[in-house]
């Protein structure tokens, strides 16, 4: 048996060798490659990363349940409804978080960006105003936010720009639950935190309103570009609204014929010149519009030729971001309120009725009184009832 096994083993070795003869008679021996050895399967678990709490538990013989679980870091998202934390050196009163960037009516903060959350009050100017010299004015400053109204001449701020729209919508729905679907469908960007951060140049905004009176949007845009070009002549003759709007001190000395070169009517040229003179003399100013009450703003501006009550109300609402304005003379607001109260506006239109064809001023004031001090927001939603496009007045 041993001899037979040795014989078979020898035959296997000999069969693994091949002899090749070349054309020259040389012999080359090629030995078969040794068999590949297969490594035994490794049933050991893969080495865990040191960052894995389970691997640490195996090393230290501690149960994985006893190891603290560290969740992966989440990317922070900006939520405009969350107030910013106040710096340690600022004062916080009545739930208002002031910022280091707040300025009063005389400080120049040209290079500062308005805080996304700052004190606000429905009956005051909530937009940053730009003066002819480029300064930025805010109603509430870090020096006045905690002072007595008897010393500052303005009421205490009751909320912030990050919360005032939420508070307004909550008040509207409490007074009239039927407004809830309308509010959920349309987001009021005018009074949202981003909207309240938009800067307003009072002189530019009021001039743009005069230019846009009784003309189409395209015509108003063309006249405005030509008006700006009067003070920024270009060699190629092209005009652009990207150039700086002229200041009151630039416009006031101009003659009416010169201003009419922009395509203005004689009456509108007189209006703009008179407005510029009032700003240049200091009778009107951004500081006055910051400190004035709603009634004072309407009284001061309607005294200017060319500025009717409707124009001033639109400026107070969309420019100054005052939140308790209701334009009873606006047909869109009349139609919206009438439709919201269940009236057939088509029949009302057919009957005529002059300026108050859809709803009387007395009825509008009576039914909107409960929405104070957020009647500007209520008015904006009444426009939405009738699908009125307010882009023209929102971006004057």
């Amino acid at each position: 048996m041993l001899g037979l096994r040795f014989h078979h083993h020898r035959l296997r070795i000999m069969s693994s060798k091949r002899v090749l003869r070349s054309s020259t008679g040389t012999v080359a021996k090629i030995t078969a490659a040794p068999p590949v050895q297969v490594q035994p399967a490794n049933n050991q678990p893969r080495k865990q990363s040191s960052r894995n709490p389970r691997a640490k538990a195996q090393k230290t013989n501690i149960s994985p349940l006893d190891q603290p679980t560290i969740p992966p870091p989440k990317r922070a998202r900006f939520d405009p409804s969350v107030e910013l934390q106040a710096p340690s050196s600022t004062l916080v009163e009545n739930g208002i978080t002031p910022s280091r960037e707040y300025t009063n009516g005389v400080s120049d903060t040209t290079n500062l960006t308005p805080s996304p959350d700052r004190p606000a009050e429905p009956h005051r100017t909530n937009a940053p105003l730009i003066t002819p010299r480029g300064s930025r004015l805010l109603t509430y400053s870090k020096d006045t936010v905690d002072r007595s109204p008897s010393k500052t001449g303005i009421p205490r701020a009751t909320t912030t720009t990050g919360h005032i729209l939420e508070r307004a919508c909550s008040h509207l729905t409490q007074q009239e639950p039927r407004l809830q679907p309308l509010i959920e469908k349309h987001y009021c960007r005018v009074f949202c935190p981003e909207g309240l951060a938009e800067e307003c140049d009072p002189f530019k905004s009021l001039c743009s309103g005069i230019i846009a009176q009784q003309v189409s949007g395209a015509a108003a845009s063309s006249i405005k570009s030509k008006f700006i070009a009067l003070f920024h002549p270009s060699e190629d003759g092209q005009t652009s609204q990207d150039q700086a709007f002229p200041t009151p001190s630039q416009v006031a000395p101009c003659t009416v014929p010169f201003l009419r070169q922009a395509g203005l009517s004689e009456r509108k040229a007189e209006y703009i010149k008179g407005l510029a003179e009032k700003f240049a003399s200091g009778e009107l100013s951004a500081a006055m519009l910051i400190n004035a009450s709603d009634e004072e703003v309407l009284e001061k501006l309607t005294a200017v030729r060319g500025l009717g009550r409707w124009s001033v109300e639109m400026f107070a609402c969309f420019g100054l971001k005052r939140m308790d304005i209701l334009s009873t003379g606006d047909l869109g607001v009349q139609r919206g309120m009438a439709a919201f109260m269940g009236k057939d506006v088509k029949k009302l239109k057919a009957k005529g009725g002059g300026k108050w064809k859809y709803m009387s001023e007395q009825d509008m004031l009576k039914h909107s009184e409960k929405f104070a001090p957020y009647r500007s927001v209520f008015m904006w939603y009444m426009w939405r009832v009738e699908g009125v496009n307010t882009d023209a007045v929102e971006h004057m």
Side-chain angles (χ1 to χ4, degrees):
M1 292 294 293
L2 292 176
L4 182 60
R5 289 181 178 178
F6 177 78
H7 178 70
H8 283 298
H9 179 67
R10 184 178 180 184
L11 289 176
R12 289 171 59 187
I13 295 175
M14 292 179 65
S15 63
S16 64
K17 299 180 180 180
R18 298 178 181 177
V19 179
L20 301 178
R21 293 185 178 275
S22 63
S23 57
T24 57
T26 59
V27 177
K29 294 184 179 180
I30 300 177
T31 305
V36 179
Q37 296 183 356
V38 180
Q39 296 292 336
N42 187 5
N43 296 324
Q44 296 296 328
R46 181 178 295 180
K47 185 177 180 181
Q48 299 290 332
S49 172
S50 59
R51 295 183 180 180
N52 192 323
R54 189 177 297 275
K56 291 184 179 180
Q58 293 176 354
K59 286 185 178 181
T60 57
N61 296 323
I62 300 177
S63 173
L65 299 177
D66 297 332
Q67 293 291 328
T69 303
I70 304 175
K74 295 182 178 180
R75 182 176 297 178
R77 294 183 178 180
F78 174 72
D79 187 354
S81 65
V82 179
E83 289 192 24
L84 302 180
Q85 295 297 324
S88 58
S89 60
T90 58
L91 300 176
V92 179
E93 183 172 346
N94 295 334
I96 297 171
T97 307
S99 165
R100 296 177 187 270
E101 297 177 355
Y102 296 159
T103 62
N104 54 30
V106 295
S107 299
D108 185 350
T109 59
T110 304
N111 296 324
L112 295 180
T113 301
S115 171
D117 198 20
R118 50 188 169 81
E121 164 60 30
H123 288 291
R124 294 290 152 173
T125 295
N126 294 302
L129 300 190
I130 303 301
T131 69
R133 296 184 179 182
S135 301
R136 180 184 290 112
L137 307 184
L138 298 174
T139 300
Y140 295 97
S141 71
K142 62 181 180 181
D143 299 324
T144 62
V145 68
D146 60 328
R147 295 176 62 186
S148 171
S150 61
K151 295 181 179 180
T152 61
I154 56 177
R156 290 187 186 276
T158 57
T159 183
T160 65
T161 56
H163 291 77
I164 195 167
L165 178 59
E166 180 183 356
R167 179 175 292 191
C169 293
S170 176
H171 177 74
L172 296 184
T173 53
Q174 286 178 1
Q175 298 297 322
E176 181 51 77
R178 292 189 300 129
L179 286 170
Q180 185 69 38
L182 195 64
I183 291 175
E184 292 177 352
K185 182 178 180 181
H186 302 283
Y187 181 64
C188 183
R189 187 189 178 281
V190 177
F191 300 108
C192 73
E194 295 80 9
L196 295 178
E198 293 177 351
E199 298 172 345
C200 172
D201 180 341
F203 177 68
K204 175 183 177 181
S205 181
L206 291 171
C207 281
S208 300
I210 293 175
I211 292 173
Q213 290 176 2
Q214 300 178 345
V215 296
S216 66
S221 178
S222 175
I223 294 173
K224 185 177 179 180
S225 295
K226 294 176 182 178
F227 179 77
I228 296 173
L230 291 177
F231 302 89
H232 300 281
S234 58
E235 297 180 357
D236 55 4
Q238 296 182 352
T239 60
S240 173
Q241 294 190 23
D242 295 334
Q243 296 172 316
F245 198 84
T247 63
S249 58
Q250 289 177 300
V251 178
C254 297
T255 63
V256 170
F258 175 79
L259 297 178
R260 290 197 62 189
Q261 296 180 58
L264 294 167
S265 65
E266 183 173 359
R267 188 66 59 86
K268 286 186 179 181
E270 293 174 353
Y271 292 162
I272 291 177
K273 177 177 172 63
L275 179 66
E277 291 172 347
K278 288 186 178 295
F279 270 97
S281 66
E283 184 177 348
L284 296 178
S285 66
M288 183 277 291
L289 297 172
I290 282 282
N291 298 318
S293 64
D294 293 337
E295 294 75 15
E296 290 171 339
V297 169
L298 291 172
E299 180 183 355
K300 289 282 188 181
L301 294 182
T302 52
V304 180
R305 289 183 63 208
L307 294 179
R309 186 176 182 86
W310 182 87
S311 298
V312 175
E313 288 170 342
M314 295 302 104
F315 169 69
C317 178
F318 296 108
L320 303 182
K321 301 295 194 297
R322 292 184 175 240
M323 302 193 68
D324 198 31
I325 305 298
L326 180 70
S327 182
T328 57
D330 186 276
L331 292 179
V333 179
Q334 289 182 27
R335 285 175 58 95
M337 288 190 66
F340 187 74
M341 294 181 63
K343 297 183 179 181
D344 190 339
V345 294
K346 293 183 179 179
K347 291 183 179 180
L348 293 173
K349 182 179 180 180
K351 290 181 179 180
K355 183 178 181 181
W356 311 104
K357 65 174 68 177
Y358 299 107
M359 201 170 185
S360 69
E361 183 177 22
Q362 184 178 359
D363 287 343
M364 293 179 72
L365 293 175
K366 177 182 176 181
H367 290 292
S368 64
E369 184 178 2
K370 61 183 178 182
F371 300 116
Y374 302 108
R375 285 179 289 186
S376 295
V377 184
F378 171 72
M379 178 173 65
W380 190 88
Y381 280 109
M382 289 302 98
W383 275 318
R384 294 299 161 298
V385 172
E386 282 297 292
V388 176
N389 186 357
T390 59
D391 290 344
V393 288
E394 287 182 24
H395 303 96
M396 284 194 305

